[in-house]
Amino acid sequence: MVDATLAAIAQPAQTDPDAAHRARRQPLARRRYALEIRQHMGWRQQALILAAALLAGLAISAAILVAAGVPANELANEFVMQTFFDGQNFRAVLFQAAPMILVGLAGSLAFRARFWNLGLEGQMIWGAIGATAVSMWQIGPEPLRLPLMFAAAIGCGLLWVLGPAWLKIRLGVNEIISTLMLNYMAANFLLHLVYGGWKDPKDNFPYSPQFRVFERLPELGAGVSSAIVLAAVVALFAWWLVGVSRAGLYLRFVDANPRVAHANGVPVRRTIYGAVLLSGAMAGLAGLAVAAGQEGRLTQAFYQGYGFSGILIAFLARNNPLAATVVALLVAALFVTGRSLQVFYQVPFSMVQLIQAIIVVCVAASDFFIRHRLRRVGGEALQ
C-alpha cells in the first residue's frame, strides 16, 4: 500500500495538452501569476541582471543630466575621457578615492558580520580627532609623529564603534540606531573643538592649526598622495582576511546563519567583534587620510558625504573588498566629474548625489529579480 502511494507521488503529473493550449491563448489581462522565491540562480544570470540594472540607472542619470543642460554628445567625453585620460583629473580621482576606499572597506567588513554600521562618519571624525590630538599636543619625537597619528586614528575609530557592538551583542540593541546617533555626538564634539580650544589662533577660523610637514601624508611624486597606497594596502589586507584566512571562513558562516554557525562551533561573538572593530579602525584611518592627506588640519565638515558613500560602495560591491576598491574609484570619478559639470554647465553638485541614489535604487531593485520569479498559475515559470 505504502509502495503504491510513493509510486503515485513519484509519478510526474500528466498535463492536458488542450488545457495548456487554452492557457497560452488566454488574454494577458486574465492570466494569473504567483510570486515565488528562487532557490538558486547562476552567477551569469545574476551578472546579466546586475548589468541591466546598472545600464538602466546610467540611462536615467544621462537623461536627467541632458535635461539639466549637459549636451548629450559631451557626456562620454566628460565622464570617461576628461576624467580618466587627463592627468590632472586622474590625480584628483586618486586623491578623492583613498578615503572612499577605506570607508567602503569599513562598511563591507561590518556588513559581512550582519552588523549595519551606519556610524562610519562618527568613526571618521574620531579618527581625525585622535590624529589631530597627537599633532596638537606634540606627542612623541618628530620621526614617530606620523606613525603615532596612525595609531591614534585606528584606536579612536575602533573605540567609537566598540560601544554599539557591545550593546548589540550583549543587550540586543539595534546597531542602526546606536551608530547613527553616535554620528551626531561625534559631529557636535568636533564643532566644540574647532570653535573652542582647538581653533587656529592665527585667523580664528573654525579649524585646527595646520599640521607640520612631517605630520602630513607625503606625496609619491607627480602630485599623487601616499593615501592611495595606504588604501590599497588596507584593501589587500581586507581581501586576504575575507577570502583566505580562517576568520573569513567564520565570517561567511556568520553571514549565512549565525545560529547554525554557533551550533557548528564557530565563535560567533568573537567573529562579530573582530569584524566590527576592524570596520571602526578602517573608518578612523579614512579620517586620518582626509585630515592629514587632503585638508592638512582638522576642519568642521571634512567627513560629510563619506558615510553615505561608504554604505553605497559596500552595497554595490556586495561586500567584496576588491570590488569595493573598484566601485570606490568609480564613485570618486563621479565626484570629480560632478565638480567639472558644476563649473562648465552650472549643474548643482546635489545632482551627483541624485545619480548615486538612482544607481543604488536600480541595483537594489535588481536584487528583487535575483531572489524572486513570477510563475503563471497553471503554466510555465517566467524566468
Side-chain angles (χ1 to χ4, degrees), residues 95-111:
F95 191 70
Q96 187 72 44
M100 285 196 172
I101 292 172
L102 290 170
V103 291
L105 293 171
S108 301
L109 207 55
F111 297 163

Side-chain angles (χ1 to χ4, degrees), residues 44-130:
R44 290 181 181 174
Q45 286 179 294
Q46 292 190 35
L48 280 175
I49 291 175
L50 274 174
L54 276 175
L55 284 175
L58 292 175
I60 296 170
S61 304
I64 291 174
L65 286 173
V66 170
V70 181
N73 58 352
E74 287 293 322
L75 285 176
N77 183 45
E78 291 289 345
F79 278 90
V80 181
M81 302 304 295
Q82 290 294 328
T83 303
F84 292 102
F85 294 97
D86 180 84
Q88 186 175 356
N89 286 339
F90 188 64
R91 285 193 291 274
V93 170
L94 295 180
F95 191 70
Q96 187 72 44
M100 285 196 172
I101 292 172
L102 290 170
V103 291
L105 293 171
S108 301
L109 207 55
F111 297 163
R112 273 184 172 266
R114 290 194 173 198
F115 185 91
W116 312 116
N117 183 9
L118 303 190
L120 296 172
E121 289 186 350
Q123 294 139 32
M124 275 188 74
I125 292 171
W126 271 100
I129 288 175

Side-chain angles (χ1 to χ4, degrees), residues 320-343:
N320 182 298
L322 295 184
T325 306
V326 175
V327 174
L329 278 170
L330 295 177
V331 172
L334 180 63
F335 270 69
V336 172
T337 308
R339 293 199 181 97
S340 173
L341 295 177
Q342 194 175 12
V343 171

Side-chain angles (χ1 to χ4, degrees), residues 65-372:
L65 286 173
V66 170
V70 181
N73 58 352
E74 287 293 322
L75 285 176
N77 183 45
E78 291 289 345
F79 278 90
V80 181
M81 302 304 295
Q82 290 294 328
T83 303
F84 292 102
F85 294 97
D86 180 84
Q88 186 175 356
N89 286 339
F90 188 64
R91 285 193 291 274
V93 170
L94 295 180
F95 191 70
Q96 187 72 44
M100 285 196 172
I101 292 172
L102 290 170
V103 291
L105 293 171
S108 301
L109 207 55
F111 297 163
R112 273 184 172 266
R114 290 194 173 198
F115 185 91
W116 312 116
N117 183 9
L118 303 190
L120 296 172
E121 289 186 350
Q123 294 139 32
M124 275 188 74
I125 292 171
W126 271 100
I129 288 175
T132 306
V134 173
S135 169
M136 291 280 294
W137 298 326
Q138 301 184 22
I139 299 172
E142 293 182 2
L144 293 178
R145 190 70 54 79
L146 195 55
L148 287 173
M149 290 169 70
F150 267 89
I154 290 172
C156 288
L158 182 151
L159 289 175
W160 195 242
V161 78
L162 177 61
W166 185 84
L167 288 172
K168 160 88 174 179
I169 293 171
R170 287 288 181 182
L171 305 177
V173 175
N174 190 322
E175 74 277 18
I176 294 176
I177 303 298
S178 58
T179 54
L180 203 57
M181 292 300 105
L182 285 175
N183 281 345
Y184 293 103
M185 291 179 63
N188 282 296
F189 187 70
L190 172 65
L191 293 178
H192 165 73
L193 290 176
V194 296
Y195 278 95
W198 284 13
K199 184 189 288 185
D200 190 353
K202 289 183 180 177
D203 48 21
N204 278 328
F205 276 98
Y207 45 62
S208 72
Q210 189 86 27
F211 292 163
R212 300 163 189 85
V213 174
F214 54 85
E215 294 168 345
R216 300 197 58 173
L217 293 175
E219 288 191 357
L220 300 175
V224 178
S225 171
S226 57
I228 192 67
V229 177
L230 169 67
V233 170
V234 175
L236 285 175
F237 168 72
W239 167 80
W240 172 83
L241 184 74
V242 169
V244 179
S245 72
R246 178 179 294 184
L249 180 65
Y250 287 166
L251 267 177
R252 285 197 288 276
F253 275 109
V254 172
D255 186 28
N257 192 320
R259 291 184 178 179
V260 175
H262 179 70
N264 283 280
V266 174
V268 175
R269 288 188 175 185
R270 275 188 292 163
T271 304
I272 295 175
Y273 269 126
V276 173
L277 295 183
L278 274 175
S279 169
M282 289 177 183
L285 272 181
L288 172 77
V290 178
Q294 296 183 0
E295 305 278 355
R297 57 179 27 145
L298 187 67
T299 59
Q300 62 173 332
F302 74 91
Y303 62 90
Q304 289 181 355
Y306 283 104
F308 176 73
S309 296
I311 295 167
L312 163 78
I313 291 164
F315 176 74
L316 292 179
R318 302 296 176 99
N319 302 331
N320 182 298
L322 295 184
T325 306
V326 175
V327 174
L329 278 170
L330 295 177
V331 172
L334 180 63
F335 270 69
V336 172
T337 308
R339 293 199 181 97
S340 173
L341 295 177
Q342 194 175 12
V343 171
F344 292 107
Y345 301 102
Q346 289 74 51
V347 173
F349 192 71
S350 56
M351 195 75 77
V352 174
Q353 293 173 317
L354 176 64
I355 292 173
Q356 281 187 333
I358 289 171
I359 293 173
V360 168
V361 169
C362 290
V363 173
S366 74
D367 199 57
F368 175 83
F369 295 102
I370 290 174
R371 296 180 185 276
H372 300 82

Side-chain angles (χ1 to χ4, degrees), residues 32-38 368-369 371-377 382:
R32 297 173 57 196
Y33 294 94
L35 185 64
E36 296 180 346
I37 296 177
R38 289 184 191 273
F368 175 83
F369 295 102
R371 296 180 185 276
H372 300 82
R373 66 178 177 181
L374 281 176
R375 176 181 288 277
R376 196 171 72 190
V377 176
L382 297 178

